[in-house]
Amino acid sequence: MSHYKPYPKYKDSGVEWLGRVPEHWEIKKILYWISGYGSGTTPSLETDYTDDGIPWVTTSELRENTIIKTEKCVTSSSLSSYSALKVHPLGSLVIAMYGATVGRLGLLGIAVALNQACFAIHPCDHIRIHFLRWWFEGFRNELIALASGAGQPNISGDKIRNLILAAPPEIVEQDQLAAFLDRETTRIDALISKKTRFIELLREKRQALITHAVTKGLDPNVNMKDSGVEWLGKVPEHWMTMSLARVAISRCDGPFGSSIKSEHYVDKGVRVVRLQNIGLGFFKDDDKAFLDIDYCRKELGGGHNVIAGDLLMGGLGDENNPLGRACIAPELIGPAIVKADCYRFRLDTKKVIPIFIGLQLSATARVECGFISTGATRERLNLGLAAGRVIAIPPTLHEQTKIVRYVKDWQGRIDKIVLKTNRSIDLLKERRAALITAAVTGQIDVRETA
């Protein structure tokens, strides 16, 4: 921010969180800057809603952009039935006042009615709505801090109207500030978007590299054969194709779902491996749950235990966590069991390197398990289907180990680049936020640059 110059003169705003502001700026409550405002309500009858009536906005539709259509509309007659239901004009700024969306903003590209969780400020002569939108974004944290209520935090319209706003009295300067922020944030957002896309491409490359290594091997000149399995295609000629069960010493699933409930969890004891711990080729260790040792012995019995090096497979999946994904139990897992829909396979380490199998099963999970899963509403594998999954393995542990080392090396390289890029995105977001705050509080003079 050092390349932007300050205003020539400043004065004390008299407000701790505002600090000093440019000398010519005016300081007064928002209610004295604006002329029209209001909130709304939620009609209670099904007949109050229609497909082609007055657009009706809820907080879920506030996405820091211009609203030009809504999920629901209300009838014209409902305006007379509900005194709090009014039409707010195009160009108004809408602020979310309730729940997890507190402080979210949106501009109206159409005239709309609102639900009770929204507050609208109408366009007026003294303050540009576009400048005001940037001002509210700059003070998002202060706005959220005004919310009260433990279960469903909320901000009242009175609190918003009584906020102290320091702003240039001239509309021209407000427009200059808004134009500056439009331009600079667009540049930053475009850079963030490029970096985000770069990370997506890196992750795609990472997965493609893993898939190729664990299903085709590392030698590009090796003779290939048809595996006889659609989702595997061709594999190296000397590899062996078989079911997972062929290399497993034992297998188990978790106890019946009702045997482990949230009230059974304690601070320490026997680790419970849950679906959220089974990642795509890696164990997610950050979400931990434990059961009392005595409870496990008395209520659950044996047969569900997990030790370091065991293969773990997810028997339920969704878009982000594919069915059949697999990983290896980490070295320091301690005493542990699997929960329902999580499957444990103890592999014969004289035949296979467990992490190789975990990587391969994860690489083929999306395709293979789409064929063999059951369940109408949610993809599911039972233990038998999981044990029947097809694997292709090099005949020697040496070759399996070599592939695992190759994959880990490339994973490490790509993960470092992803980490570095994510950090640069965080810095850009911090710069964006700081730039908005600096501009709307007059810490920097952007009139010439705008």
Side-chain angles (χ1 to χ4, degrees), residues 63 91 105 115 120 180 197 208 214 226 246 275 279 309 318 338 366 381 413 435 447:
R63 289 286 186 273
L105 306 170
N115 77 346
F180 166 80
R197 179 56 183 153
V214 299
D226 187 354
R246 290 271 305 278
L275 286 167
D318 56 37
V338 281
R366 291 186 189 275
L381 281 181
R413 295 186 200 181
L435 190 66
R447 289 173 292 183

Side-chain angles (χ1 to χ4, degrees), residues 121-140:
I121 297 176
H122 302 168
C124 58
D125 296 333
H126 306 298
I127 192 85
R128 286 287 200 219
I129 288 295
H130 202 40
F131 169 81
L132 200 56
R133 191 199 80 80
W134 282 120
W135 188 89
F136 272 108
E137 182 165 340
F139 285 100
R140 176 75 56 82

Side-chain angles (χ1 to χ4, degrees), residues 24 114 200 236 263 391:
H24 67 287
L114 307 172
E200 291 172 357
E263 58 262 32
I391 56 173

Side-chain angles (χ1 to χ4, degrees), residues 74-208:
V74 293
T75 62
S76 299
S77 59
S78 63
L79 295 178
S80 57
S81 301
Y82 303 91
S83 59
L85 197 63
K86 299 178 175 64
V87 177
H88 300 276
L90 178 151
S92 297
L93 173 67
V94 181
I95 305 165
M97 301 195 299
Y98 287 87
T101 59
V102 162
R104 191 179 286 176
L105 306 170
L107 290 171
L108 296 184
I110 49 176
V112 304
L114 307 172
N115 77 346
Q116 73 280 5
C118 297
F119 182 83
I121 297 176
H122 302 168
C124 58
D125 296 333
H126 306 298
I127 192 85
R128 286 287 200 219
I129 288 295
H130 202 40
F131 169 81
L132 200 56
R133 191 199 80 80
W134 282 120
W135 188 89
F136 272 108
E137 182 165 340
F139 285 100
R140 176 75 56 82
N141 290 336
E142 285 75 13
L143 191 63
I144 293 172
L146 292 174
S148 58
Q152 190 80 339
N154 67 87
I155 306 171
S156 68
D158 282 340
K159 285 184 178 179
I160 293 175
R161 291 195 299 270
N162 283 288
L163 280 171
I164 301 296
L165 168 65
E170 297 294 331
I171 291 294
V172 172
E173 189 174 346
Q174 295 176 25
D175 286 339
Q176 288 172 331
L177 283 165
F180 166 80
L181 288 174
D182 285 345
R183 184 187 72 235
E184 294 302 315
T185 56
T186 296
R187 288 169 58 183
I188 294 173
D189 290 344
L191 190 52
I192 290 172
S193 180
K194 286 181 180 179
K195 287 178 177 286
T196 301
R197 179 56 183 153
F198 177 58
I199 289 174
E200 291 172 357
L201 292 173
L202 281 174
R203 286 176 173 157
E204 289 173 10
K205 177 181 174 64
R206 180 181 186 268
Q207 191 55 47

